[in-house]
């Protein structure tokens, strides 16, 4: 066994940049919402089309989280019927390049990721 230094207790202290990551990597919808808003503002009902697997409640929660982090803006238009649109802010738009890198990584390792998931599922079944 190799000797490693213990992890410091303050590794993720309150000033750590990782605490400001605007969405949780477990929130699989946030990056997809950002991708949906790439070409301009969208209404909730428009977002529901490609994101049909997410419940309206969870979509609302994800949109609120992105709005809280400053990545998405929510605009209410009153005329003639009220409608709400969501759009990427300049900060949100700056996430497009890192997300594209993540998508490229997934595309490059697609088969490996699927194989790993299948091996894991098989080991849990036995």
């Amino acid at each position: 066994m190799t000797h490693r230094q213990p992890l410091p207790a303050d590794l993720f202290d309150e000033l750590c940049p990782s605490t400001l990551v605007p969405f949780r990597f477990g929130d699989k919808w946030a990056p997809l919402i950002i991708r949906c808003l790439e070409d301009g503002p969208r209404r909730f009902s428009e977002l529901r089309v490609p994101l049909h697997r997410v419940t309206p409640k969870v979509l609302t929660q994800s949109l609120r989280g992105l709005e809280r982090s400053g990545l998405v803006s929510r605009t209410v238009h009153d005329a003639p019927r009220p409608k709400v649109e969501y759009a990427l802010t300049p900060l949100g738009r700056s996430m497009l390049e890192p997300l594209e890198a993540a998508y490229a990584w997934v595309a490059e390792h697609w088969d490996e990721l699927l194989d790993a998931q299948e091996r894991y599922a098989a080991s849990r079944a036995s």
Side-chain angles (χ1 to χ4, degrees):
M1 184 169 168
T2 58
H3 178 69
R4 292 185 293 241
Q5 294 294 323
L7 293 170
D10 64 350
L11 183 63
F12 300 115
D13 68 4
E14 59 195 43
L15 299 178
C16 176
S18 66
T19 62
L20 291 177
V21 171
F23 54 81
R24 305 284 177 244
F25 285 101
D27 179 1
K28 65 181 177 181
W29 305 115
L32 301 179
I33 291 168
I34 291 171
R35 189 72 179 253
C36 288
L37 296 174
E38 184 174 0
D39 292 330
R42 301 286 180 172
R43 295 182 64 186
F44 189 86
S45 59
E46 291 179 279
L47 294 172
R48 294 271 302 135
V49 174
L51 300 172
H52 57 88
R53 294 176 309 179
V54 62
T55 65
K57 177 182 177 182
V58 172
L59 180 55
T60 298
Q61 290 171 340
S62 291
L63 283 164
R64 284 182 184 158
L66 290 168
E67 185 180 6
R68 181 175 41 253
S69 297
L71 301 178
V72 168
S73 64
R74 180 181 185 272
T75 304
V76 178
H77 302 281
D78 290 327
R81 296 185 344 194
K83 73 175 187 174
V84 176
E85 285 186 327
Y86 297 92
L88 289 177
T89 64
L91 185 61
R93 204 154 272 296
S94 73
M95 286 294 299
L96 292 172
E97 187 176 341
L99 284 174
E100 190 58 42
Y103 298 145
W105 181 87
V106 168
E108 183 178 336
H109 297 283
W110 182 262
D111 291 334
E112 295 166 84
L113 292 165
L114 290 177
D115 290 345
Q117 289 177 1
E118 288 174 9
R119 280 192 307 275
Y120 178 80
S123 73
R124 303 295 279 177
S126 53

